[in-house]
Amino acid sequence: MAAGGGLRFLLVALHMAAASAALPLVVNTWAFGKATETAWRVLQMGGSELDAVEKGCAQCEMDQCDGSVGYGGSPDESGETTLDAMIMDGNTMEVGAVADLRRVKNAIGVARKVIEHTKHTLLVGESASLFAVRMGFRYEDLTTPKSLSMFSEWLNQSCQPNYWKNVVPDSSKSCGPYKKTEKVICKEDWISSQRRISVHNHDTIGMIVIGESGTVASGTSTNGAIHKIPGRVGDSPIAGAGAYADSTAGGAAATGDGDIMMRFLPSYQAVEYMRMGTDPTVACQKVISRIRKYAPKFFGAVICANTTGSYGAACNKTPGFTQFHFMVYNPSLSQPSEQVVDCI
């Protein structure tokens, strides 16, 4: 009887494992369910994995997900909202990306055009905007009453918090313009960093799509860190940092403090762990642990999926951020499923 019960338990466990590893698969950061649903619908209508990533992330751009994706959020020091995005084809290893994109709302769409119509990988700033217009996108104001209000409130608080260090006047007490100090202190102020970067002011949509045949695509879109220094580019549009896709292994995407995370290429590293046979959840945990050795209080999370459809996620535990929410859609689910992992 016990043996029979054990067999039934094993069969149930195997069934659950098979269900969780079903293909096709859409996984994305945060509880951005409408983006998940859009990507899934594109797949069901016969679209490619790249199509699904593009349209899924574009949904968040239109919806201004959490104010941290798309127009009207995260104004920089001059009050302007600029956008970063990338998309990657795991079959060809081609990447299209834009950074510091101005006055164009559909950043991930422009990134896709970089793949399709150039031999480049990354276009930045005003030149990226001019390219977008050539590709048929139109200039639009990315400023909204909300972003103007955020900028005004920041100015009224003596420009706190901000991203300057080793400058005069004292950046912790006043606005610029700043000049460099004679003495440079190289030690990172992790406490200050934790205050300025958190789940409440800096998110990214990162998405992984894996087709029925195991073809992988990934992408990101964000308006970056709030009150960033103009010209700043984070991890999101950098291949291997914000996202990575390889149809021989899997895909990954990151979210959080891009200035810290991009130094470790967490998405690339996670895919390489999965290539060696590491479970997606463990792969995510390993890259988080690797960053934490150098930046114990960093804010960040990673999602991972391999070519069999297994997926996982991990996040770094910090005050106010103890769990990470992400979305999943595969044939075993009737609708997008919001899932939660405890941070490590």
Side-chain angles (χ1 to χ4, degrees), residues 135-156:
M135 294 296 102
F137 297 87
R138 61 189 179 94
Y139 280 146
E140 299 179 83
D141 190 357
L142 304 189
T143 302
T144 63
K146 181 179 178 181
S147 66
L148 286 175
S149 176
M150 294 167 69
F151 178 58
S152 177
E153 182 179 344
W154 180 71
L155 290 176
N156 291 335

Side-chain angles (χ1 to χ4, degrees), residues 44-61:
Q44 298 307 300
M45 294 174 63
S48 69
E49 293 80 10
L50 274 182
D51 293 336
V53 168
E54 179 187 354
K55 298 305 181 184
C57 290
Q59 184 69 57
C60 245
E61 292 174 345

Side-chain angles (χ1 to χ4, degrees), residues 247-308:
S247 295
T248 67
T255 182
D257 186 346
D259 289 297
I260 300 297
M261 298 181 74
M262 69 191 301
R263 305 171 192 176
F264 300 88
L265 296 179
S267 295
Y268 170 79
Q269 188 65 53
V271 171
E272 290 307 299
Y273 282 137
M274 290 187 289
R275 185 191 308 281
M276 294 185 290
T278 304
D279 173 80
T281 297
V282 176
C284 284
Q285 292 172 342
K286 284 169 74 72
V287 297
I288 291 293
S289 296
R290 184 165 172 254
I291 300 171
R292 191 169 57 191
K293 289 179 182 178
Y294 298 88
K297 297 181 181 179
F298 88 97
F299 160 61
V302 181
I303 55 172
C304 302
N306 64 24
T307 53
T308 69

Side-chain angles (χ1 to χ4, degrees), residues 26 30 43 70 81 98 146 203 212 230 259 282 292:
V26 176
W30 307 108
L43 287 179
T81 296
V98 290
K146 181 179 178 181
D203 303 336
E212 289 185 355
D259 289 297
V282 176
R292 191 169 57 191

